Amino acid sequence: MSSAPDDAAVPEAADDGSEGSGGAWATADFVVGRGVLLVIGPIIIALFWVFGALPAWGAAALGGFLSVVAVVFLARLRSRGAAGGAEGARVLVVGGGYAGLVAARALQARLPGGTRGGRHLGPGTATTGIAGITVVDPQAHMTYQPFLPEAAAGAIEPRHLTVPLRKALRRCDVITGSVAAVDDASRRAVVSLPDGGTREIGYDVLVVAPGTAPRRLPIPGLEDRALPFRSVTDALALREHVLSRLDAAASTTDPSERRRLLTFTVIGGGFAGLEVLGELEDMTRRAAKHQPGYVAEEIRWVLLEAAGRIMPEVSPALAARVHAQLLRRGIEVRVGAKITSAHGGTVVLAGGPTFTTDTIVVAAGSVPNPLLERTDLPLDPRGRVRCATTLQVRDRAHVFTAGDCAAVPDVTVPVPRDGEPSTTAPTAQHAVRQARLLARNVDAFLAGRLLRGYRHKNSGAVAGLGRRRGAAQIGPLRMTGWPAFLLHRAYHLWAMPTADRTVRIALDWLVSGLLGRDLVAVGRRDAAPLPDTDAPPTVVPPAEVEEKVAGPQTPADPPTGATPISGPVPTWGADPALTGPRPATPTPEPARASATDSQGIPAMQIAAAQSGGFPAVRDPHPSYPPFAEPFPAGSFSPAPSSESTFRDLTPSLSFGAPSDTGSFREPHPSFPSTPRDGERTDDGPRAPYPSTSRPRHSLGNPN
């Protein structure tokens, strides 16, 4: 199943001399990096032997090792010089999804100076000359979709499911944009950039791996109510929506509204639909433990599948076991259910059953990316790119494809006498293996070697159905429960690109297993409505409420020289546009220090409220003078006697005279109320504590 490309199909070398092209600069780096080590190594060994740190036999052994390294270095340098004439091929990778990322990583490892090995790179030795690799994708990251249900349920940090393209593809030119058209005749592609502009990119080898797009069901009203589930943003939005339904249902008093809020519907009985259903159902049951008891009793999950059974990816026996387990969990599974309408959240099924729901999740499969329709590549009836087992597009030897958008023939299934041959299933295991083979075949195509055909039998299928629940089929082995759950996690953890993302996801599982999942909705879009913003910021209490609180009061005469207050009494914090400007208050004559009671209430307000001297108003800020006159000086209690040795520590309800600003504030207990013997009585500052010339604890007469 291999084929050799024509000699005319091999692109000519492009001598651009750029740094990223893998030309002279890459060879110079190779020579300098290895050459310096071969020169410094013998010098260091000789110094160790001279100073006695290394015996003669040790120096000879290390010298022999360096000689072998030098021979290998010269051999590799010669092979680079021989392959220099084939350099110059420009590779364009359309799509940065799973297949596109793995293929681009394997191709960049074949650049001059690259490394080999790794489960996503594949074995072999690079002998091709690739000038540069350009990757185009609308997103700047790759999303590992098999872990999206666990991210929606809070088991994994959503950002850990993404692999930054520029970080993983350091030696590639990553362009964030969408391919608008591909003209393979002239070998140019038009890319739409985020700023609205366009850019033309030429290529010698084209790799088409744009992935798939979500399927849109032609159901009236479904487009307005359905929640997609294809990206990290969709997973976060779905998580916040589901948790907010529980909070809203616990707060409402309408039984019909509560039933609508607690009814969750998933459309699609494949792996994607069952995984999101199982994870979110488990999350709602755990979150309902912190809600009123009736919330957990009224939670309702409904699975709708138009086919005759769920899980078409596995055998009917395993699908029946999973169906029975879902029923035991209280999930309604309706197979053969065709939706006729979903207006306003009212789901109408063919045959009459109708129910209302506030959450509809669509996981009904996917379709090939619409980008393929804007190309001149051959497509099959399902919209996928036709290709051979070598992953070369038919009649296009320089165009390769892989992943879910490729119709790769499945050689493990017998070809029927009539009709199209069977193709590989759109699964992650096929995508990663096809991408690795694609990189090898591109290398062989540019080097003029034979290409290898894709042959891989489906190893099985695994799915997670919630915490410690899963389903797996590996050959004749079928299992459910926690063994299948562990197998599901182990396989997808192995298939996750880049080591740092693998470690992060493993740590997320450890933390969520020890501390539990975080069940908080922080991005609710239906919070309680805010009060009317047109109302004044402070509402003055009604007159009858003031009279009940303060009792009958009569306004006091304003102080001499003061401007009488006209109109309503200003309220602290009220809008000046409604109450008018605050009237100016004259500064009273200097008097004794002010005071407050033991609770911090101004003396003027208490005394005036008891005597009915002025209307009760809201307590002003201490930095503002009061609006009424100071309290008469004669009603204050006399100061403590100067013959007392100790200051009375009992809070007093007597008050001092008003200060210059008119505020009454009790002095700090550390300040004496009357001058002590020997202390200054002028206007200078008084010491905050008694003089240090005598002990504070002295009981005798200081004189």
Side-chain angles (χ1 to χ4, degrees), residues 12-273:
E12 297 180 359
D15 188 12
D16 53 3
S18 60
E19 181 179 358
S21 63
W25 284 107
T27 304
D29 294 340
F30 180 82
V31 172
V32 172
R34 275 70 170 183
V36 169
L37 294 178
L38 293 177
V39 172
I40 297 178
I43 297 177
I44 296 177
I45 295 175
L47 291 177
F48 283 167
W49 176 70
V50 169
F51 289 100
L54 193 66
W57 64 267
L62 289 179
F65 174 75
L66 289 178
S67 300
V68 174
V69 173
V71 172
V72 175
F73 166 71
L74 294 176
R76 293 190 62 185
L77 184 61
R78 182 179 179 182
S79 65
R80 283 173 174 269
E87 293 181 353
R90 299 167 299 171
V91 179
L92 174 62
V93 180
V94 178
Y98 196 63
L101 173 65
V102 174
R105 291 187 67 201
L107 286 172
Q108 80 170 357
R110 288 172 162 81
L111 290 174
T115 58
R116 300 297 308 122
R119 66 175 185 271
H120 290 111
L121 304 180
T125 302
T127 59
T128 185
I130 300 178
I133 304 171
T134 303
V135 181
V136 180
D137 192 81
Q139 301 291 335
H141 60 270
M142 186 278 295
T143 302
Y144 192 71
Q145 295 186 359
F147 279 150
L148 278 179
E150 293 198 45
I156 301 176
E157 170 63 28
R159 290 181 178 84
H160 296 169
L161 306 182
T162 62
V163 179
L165 295 181
R166 287 182 172 84
K167 181 179 180 181
L169 306 175
R170 298 182 182 274
R171 308 186 68 189
C172 299
D173 183 16
V174 179
I175 299 177
T176 302
S178 177
V179 176
V182 175
D183 184 9
D184 189 59
S186 60
R187 299 193 180 184
R188 302 189 69 84
V190 180
V191 180
S192 298
L193 302 178
D195 58 358
T198 59
R199 176 179 175 182
E200 289 189 1
I201 302 175
Y203 62 85
D204 298 312
V205 175
L206 177 63
V207 177
V208 181
T212 58
R215 175 183 299 174
R216 294 186 177 182
L217 302 178
I219 300 175
L222 184 62
E223 191 70 20
D224 301 333
R225 305 290 302 182
L227 297 174
F229 193 71
R230 293 284 298 180
S231 63
V232 173
T233 305
D234 297 340
L236 289 174
L238 181 59
R239 168 185 170 82
E240 300 295 335
H241 175 82
V242 171
L243 292 178
S244 65
R245 299 305 90 189
L246 301 182
D247 296 334
S251 304
T252 185
T253 57
D254 187 359
S256 60
E257 177 67 12
R258 184 165 57 248
R259 285 193 299 270
R260 186 184 72 88
L261 293 172
L262 295 179
T263 301
F264 306 95
T265 306
V266 177
I267 300 177
F271 268 22

Side-chain angles (χ1 to χ4, degrees), residues 642-643 676-678 694 698-703:
S642 60
E643 284 138 60
R676 291 184 174 90
D677 296 339
R694 67 181 184 196
S698 175
L699 299 179
N701 191 344
N703 297 327

Side-chain angles (χ1 to χ4, degrees), residues 597-632:
D597 70 339
S598 59
Q599 302 298 326
I601 304 176
M604 180 193 70
Q605 184 173 348
I606 294 180
Q610 294 176 355
S611 62
F614 60 92
V617 296
R618 189 171 298 181
D619 183 21
H621 193 273
S623 63
Y624 282 82
F627 300 111
E629 65 176 355
F631 197 78

Side-chain angles (χ1 to χ4, degrees), residues 365-381:
S366 57
V367 295
N369 198 304
L371 159 68
L372 302 177
E373 301 177 358
R374 301 192 296 268
T375 65
D376 55 354
L377 303 178
L379 306 179
D380 69 347

Side-chain angles (χ1 to χ4, degrees), residues 584-596:
T585 304
T587 303
E589 297 179 0
R592 290 176 296 176
S594 61
T596 58

Side-chain angles (χ1 to χ4, degrees), residues 1 389-391 408-413 424 430 433-434 437 452-458:
M1 305 297 292
T389 57
T390 58
L391 305 180
V408 182
D410 191 353
V411 297
T412 62
V413 178
T424 57
H430 284 297
R433 288 172 174 84
Q434 290 173 6
L437 179 63
R452 185 178 300 175
Y454 180 74
R455 181 184 179 90
H456 172 70
K457 187 177 181 180
N458 193 352

